[in-house]
Amino acid sequence: MNASTIINDSMSLEEKLAAIDAAMANAQQQADEDARAGGLAFAAPLDPADLTMCDGCQ
């Protein structure tokens, strides 16, 4: 992902953050679709901290 295709200097901070959030959501959705096509339930947890906790702690 190239940041210069997502944000530019004329955008406000709020617009930049919204564009980054949208790009990350699209990337996660595409990764999940690719994983489902390969027989997996999901590609990666939405929160990386989920990898550090056991299922009972979550």
Side-chain angles (χ1 to χ4, degrees):
M1 185 180 318
N2 187 348
S4 63
T5 63
I6 300 169
I7 60 174
N8 60 55
D9 291 336
S10 66
M11 299 170 84
S12 69
L13 177 59
E14 290 79 19
E15 291 171 327
K16 289 177 182 178
L17 292 173
I20 292 168
D21 284 342
M24 294 298 292
N26 288 337
Q28 181 69 47
Q29 180 182 11
Q30 183 62 47
D32 286 342
E33 289 173 7
D34 292 345
R36 279 192 293 276
L40 300 173
F42 54 89
L46 296 177
D47 183 0
D50 287 345
L51 295 173
T52 64
M53 290 185 279
C54 68
D55 290 337
C57 296
Q58 291 179 4

